Amino acid sequence: VEFEQATRRAPDNDVLFYNLGLIYSGEGLFDEALRFFERSNEINPRHIASVSKVRPADKVREMREEVARVKAVEARLAEGMSVSSGAEYHRQMAARLEAAGEPLAARGHRLRAVMDRTGPGATPR
């Protein structure tokens, strides 16, 4: 809820969207992170105002690669699953990802299972 409010109050704040991308990617919510990085890049394709002068475009590229990699792993692991969506799907996928050595992606699915029960989180506009 707080992240949704922040994005509504500062829809053109590239640093906000970049930082939300970092937060979401750190929680294994790679699709959402990608959307936040893309929004940051749309607002300001130049470097972020920071000491390290990071560029959102670099994070977009990196996150796209990670999303594609994880989706390929998930597709392989989804074979034979009895459900294809919803909280139970996310719980089962989390267990399979954990067993496959993908703890961060597993965390994202555990969070999705909770969100499926409580409602969606913040998404970029």
Side-chain angles (χ1 to χ4, degrees):
V1 173
E2 290 85 7
F3 292 158
E4 287 178 29
Q5 289 174 348
T7 60
R8 278 194 307 273
R9 289 183 181 151
D12 295 322
N13 185 326
D14 59 322
V15 176
L16 168 66
F17 283 94
Y18 187 87
N19 286 332
L20 287 171
L22 292 175
I23 291 167
Y24 275 72
S25 66
E27 294 296 326
L29 297 168
F30 303 129
D31 291 325
E32 292 87 343
L34 175 58
R35 287 194 299 273
F36 283 122
F37 288 132
E38 287 172 337
R39 179 67 182 131
S40 177
N41 190 52
E42 288 170 9
I43 297 165
N44 178 17
R46 296 174 307 280
H47 68 79
I48 297 289
S50 68
V51 174
S52 59
K53 297 192 185 271
V54 295
R55 292 174 44 93
D58 296 335
K59 287 306 258 187
V60 168
R61 188 173 32 261
E62 176 185 313
M63 193 53 50
R64 282 183 181 153
E65 291 172 4
E66 183 65 0
V67 165
R69 185 191 72 77
V70 170
K71 288 206 181 299
V73 171
E74 290 172 351
R76 182 177 49 83
L77 295 176
E79 293 177 16
M81 283 181 66
S82 60
V83 292
S84 60
S85 64
E88 183 56 27
Y89 166 81
H90 292 299
R91 281 191 289 278
Q92 287 183 26
M93 183 55 73
R96 290 177 181 211
L97 285 163
E98 193 75 45
E102 297 283 350
L104 192 54
R107 178 174 176 72
H109 276 280
R110 283 192 295 275
L111 289 170
R112 287 183 198 289
V114 171
M115 287 189 292
D116 275 1
R117 289 193 315 250
T118 62
T123 56
R125 50 179 226 121

